[in-house]
Structures are given as structure tokens and as C-alpha cells.
Amino acid sequence: MAELGPSPLVSGDELPVAEAQARIAGRLQPVAGIERVAVAAAVGRVLAADVVSPIDVPAHDNSAMDGYAFRGADLPAEGRARLAAVEGTVFAGARFDTPVPPGRCVRIMTGAVMPPGLDTVVPIELAKVDAGSVDFAATAVRTGENRRKRGEDLAQGQPALAAGRVLRPADLGLIASLGMAEVAVRRRLKVALFSTGDEVVAPGQPLPEGCIYDSNRFGLIGALQRLGVEVLDLGLVRDDPAALSATIDRAIAEADAVVTSGGVSMGDADYTRDLLAARGEVAFWKVAMRPGRPFAFGPLHGAGGKSAFLFALPGNPVAALVTFYVFVRDGLLKLAGATPHPVPSLTARSAVAIRKRPGRSEYQRGIVERAADGQWSVRLTGAQGAGILRSLTVANALVVLGPQQGSVAEGDAVEVWLFDGLA
Ligand code: AMP
Ligand code: MG
């Protein structure tokens, strides 16, 4: 495909995506509040301090198998081992006080503490038992096999999880394995959200001529909930200075951040700019991206020393969600105290040619699937207009084309952000 030249539309006053992201990150500091929550309620929360193991995990050497425990020193160099078993079985969670002298073995269950001096377990299925003696090939096990060492998962005093981590299911298991019933996390962010526009109508209402339903608020509520923040839904605000003013003041008073869509992001109405200018240092940017050019960000200050960060997103539904993923996600994670972690991405082979001029970043809606050769392949969902919300529901990924990227030929590698992963 012929290369398209740089876009004549990209003017010097457009901000590269990376620059806009850096400016946002530069303004935000993590909220200070910390609370202790039950481990069972901690998934998705941001760890406030390192978790340091107070104990060895496991606390004792124990058997990894059902079998017979013995001393590796009793293994012959070749041939078969034949060890007399002492009376009884070592069960998990139970004391076993019978001494096991050299040259002897004992029946042991998975997870049971290794009796003193014993270091090796032969699995039950590799052993023959007759007349109280256990017989197995000398090559069946090596010294130390089938035994879990004390502290092998985690030694006492060792950092188990670092502050700033967004807790995952396995993390909760690990914290519980240390005997902790609670964990210190950053307080949950509260994020206010509202839509603007005289043409926008709440779902459930009749739709007057020329109007559209408010879809942005619901897409954004879902995205905010997945980020683990508390959402303060302030509904729909008319294109009216008094209404906008009152809603913004409420958001500043009650929330850490405010996410809006439509109108306010354009700063098209003078009163919007004036109203925001009176409350803080909101910058209106034209970001060099598609979809999602108009975007505003900055701190708003209100009565009583309260403040909140405004993320004003474009009104077009696809642009609203794409700008959420590109700017708001990372911004809110930083505000929440989370260590930065990029959106998980993978490289896929484009099944189609994609026309693009260098200059802007583009986020196209894609369908990623495994090709016959086992490699990831991505195709586009079709119409990519910024208002075509269905393109996002049909897609399972965003195709991310960086500013330097020109047209993509069929078969070229492209970066994709998957919408879903392991929960
Ligand atoms: P604006 O940024 O207000 O000029 O809006 C750009 C486009 O997005 C217009 O076509 C609006 O009708 C549409 N729009 C704005 N807000 C919403 C919303 N909450 N839900 C769906 N579409 C919206
Ligand atoms: Mg509007």
C-alpha cells in the first residue's frame, strides 16, 4: 500500500498522547488515607504498605506426597531399598511422637510434618509393602525428594507483596497464608460522574425528537467500577451555567475526581471555560489522537479547602471510553496509590490493511482471534466512527497505532489491548 504522508490536519498545537499522559501523572499524588480491611474484602484494593512475612511458610518441613518417609542416607546406591516401617501413620495436622530410627521408615500423608531426621518420601504407588517392610527401587527417589522445606514459599522477614500493588486473588491467599486476617489498603477513591447536553436523555424516559439517550454515563460507570473506585453518579446536567456550577461544586465537595462527558470537554461554551477557570487550573487540550481529540484535565478547588481532579472527556461514546482507557485509568490508579502498570497488550498480526497517516495515535476497534497457525490475528470491526458504540461491543480489543505509525499492510504486526483477561 502507498504510504500516506503526515496528516496535514495535525497542527502544532495538538498534544501527543504520551505528553498528555505525562502531564496528568505529574499533577497527581496518591490519596493519603489508609484503612484496614478483611482479607476477604481486599481484592482490587491498593496495598498501603509492604506485606512482610511474620512466619516461615510452610512453618515445617512436610510431605508433598502420600507415601513413606525415611532418611535419604538409607538409600542404597543401586538395587532395591528395604526399610522396616515403624507402627502408625503421620497425619497432616497431628502430632507423631514415635521416634523413627535410622534404617526405618514411616507411613506419611500429604502435608504432614516430617518426623525429626527424615528428609525423603517415597510415594505410595512406587512402594511395595510386605510383612511390615517397605520395598522400592533405589532409583525411585533421590534424597530430599517429595519433601517441602520449611520457608520454601516464603521465609520469615521476607517481603511478600510490595506497597502499591492492586491485590489479586492469589495475593489474598498469600496474605491469609501468613496468618493475617486484615490488610492495610489505601482508602477507596470516590469518583463523581455526570453527562452533559440538552439533547441527552436518561434511559427509561421517552425520547423527544432530535434527542439521544445518555450512554456515556453507563459505559463510564462500568469502567469505573472495574477500576475498583466508588462511583458518585450525579446524573445528567443541562447545558446551563447554574446547573453545571452546582453539580461541579457538589463533585468537588464530595469526590477525589470528577469524570464528565460532552460539552464541558470542548470548552465550546464560554461559560464552561469561565466556570472551570474560576475553580482551578483546568487545561483544555487537543490531543493528537483518534478518537478523542478534545480533552480537559486539571484540579478544581472549592469551599473548605476541598478539591477534585477533573477529567473532561469528549461526548462521542467511543471517544469517551477510549480516552477513559488512555488517560483516566492511569490517572485514577496513580491517585489511588497504585504502582503504575501498563494496560496488558500483545502483538497481533493484522489480517487487514489499515490506512493511517503518521501524526496522531489511533485506537481502532478490533477482533483478536487465533489464526490457523496458532498466532494472534486481528481484524477491524468495520465502521470506526467515534459515535458508533456498537463497534466497541463487537470488538474484544483496541488496535493501538502509535503516532509514528503509517499505514499498516496486511500481515504487519500491531499492538492490541485486550478488553478481558483472567479476573
Ligand atoms: P459534545 O462533546 O457535547 O459536543 O458531544 C459530541 C457528541 O457526543 C454529540 O453528538 C453528542 O450528542 C454526543 N454525546 C454527548 N454526550 C453524550 C452521552 N452522555 N451519551 C451519548 N452521546 C453523547
Ligand atoms: Mg454537548
Side-chain angles (χ1 to χ4, degrees):
M1 187 187 306
E3 274 297 313
L4 302 170
S7 172
L9 300 173
V10 179
S11 56
D13 63 349
E14 287 200 359
L15 207 56
V17 167
E19 174 64 24
Q21 288 171 323
R23 288 190 191 181
I24 293 170
R27 290 304 305 238
L28 298 169
Q29 288 305 321
V31 294
I34 290 173
E35 60 189 6
R36 294 189 67 79
V37 296
V39 175
V43 79
R45 301 298 301 268
V46 178
L47 202 55
D50 291 352
V51 171
V52 175
S53 181
I55 55 169
D56 284 328
V57 182
H60 309 275
D61 288 8
N62 68 87
S63 179
M65 293 282 209
D66 291 345
Y68 289 87
F70 63 99
R71 287 173 182 75
D74 290 335
L75 277 171
E78 56 191 34
R80 298 193 69 83
R82 192 174 171 84
L83 304 173
V86 304
E87 195 69 27
T89 298
V90 196
F91 288 102
R95 278 185 70 98
F96 186 83
D97 291 326
T98 315
V100 183
R104 308 281 299 271
C105 66
V106 66
R107 179 100 160 90
I108 194 165
M109 308 304 282
T110 303
V113 175
M114 294 290 282
L118 308 192
D119 56 16
T120 309
V121 174
V122 60
I124 191 100
E125 55 276 19
L126 299 181
K128 277 196 299 194
V129 187
D130 90 276
S133 278
V134 179
D135 176 286
F136 55 95
T139 52
V141 280
R142 278 170 303 180
T143 298
E145 261 188 309
N146 304 317
R147 169 201 47 172
R148 304 182 189 123
K149 292 278 287 175
R150 170 184 182 147
E152 78 172 19
D153 194 349
L154 210 51
Q156 185 181 354
Q158 200 179 320
L161 296 168
R165 186 176 177 90
V166 178
L167 293 171
R168 299 199 296 234
D171 300 333
L172 305 197
L174 186 68
I175 294 166
S177 79
L178 305 180
M180 299 176 180
E182 290 185 341
V183 60
V185 294
R186 298 261 182 181
R187 74 168 173 79
R188 205 189 277 281
L189 289 187
K190 192 163 179 184
V191 179
L193 174 71
F194 63 87
S195 296
T196 64
D198 286 339
E199 80 284 21
V200 186
V201 174
Q205 303 294 314
L207 191 66
E209 175 94 31
C211 290
I212 53 161
Y213 282 120
D214 178 9
S215 59
N216 289 349
R217 195 154 42 96
F218 298 89
L220 291 168
I221 284 174
L224 287 166
Q225 285 173 340
R226 281 210 171 170
L227 261 193
V229 305
E230 184 188 338
V231 180
L232 175 64
D233 182 0
L234 297 181
L236 252 170
V237 180
R238 301 275 134 239
D239 287 324
D240 160 60
L244 189 58
S245 201
T247 307
I248 287 188
D249 285 337
R250 178 162 175 217
I252 297 170
E254 294 186 34
D256 301 297
V258 195
V259 176
T260 66
S261 72
V264 71
S265 60
M266 304 289 294
D268 45 4
D270 284 344
Y271 71 78
T272 304
R273 281 180 183 265
D274 293 347
L275 200 152
L276 294 175
R279 286 169 176 77
E281 309 133 71
V282 172
F284 291 83
W285 296 328
K286 269 189 235 139
V287 184
M289 68 187 287
R290 230 174 54 156
R293 224 144 50 99
F295 184 84
F297 167 77
L300 296 170
H301 306 293
K306 300 268 190 182
S307 64
F309 286 94
L310 174 73
F311 295 87
L313 313 184
N316 274 311
V318 177
L321 271 173
V322 166
T323 49
F324 181 92
Y325 292 125
V326 174
F327 300 117
V328 186
R329 172 192 181 274
D330 290 354
L332 293 182
L333 284 173
K334 175 142 195 217
L335 199 56
T339 306
H341 48 284
V343 174
S345 68
L346 58 85
T347 301
R349 195 171 59 207
S350 185
V352 292
I354 305 171
R355 285 171 69 81
K356 178 183 179 295
R357 295 173 187 277
R360 295 201 178 114
S361 298
E362 287 194 14
Y363 303 84
Q364 307 224 10
R365 274 68 71 205
I367 299 169
V368 174
E369 56 209 348
R370 288 260 190 213
D373 64 0
Q375 303 296 308
W376 291 113
S377 168
V378 64
R379 60 197 161 91
L380 301 182
T381 57
Q384 297 277 321
I388 302 175
L389 194 49
R390 217 177 94 79
S391 70
L392 270 176
T393 65
V394 172
N396 63 5
L398 287 176
V399 180
V400 181
L401 305 173
Q404 267 77 51
Q405 172 86 54
S407 287
V408 173
E410 183 186 331
D412 281 358
V414 291
E415 184 188 359
V416 297
W417 293 353
L418 296 179
F419 290 158
D420 289 306
L422 287 177

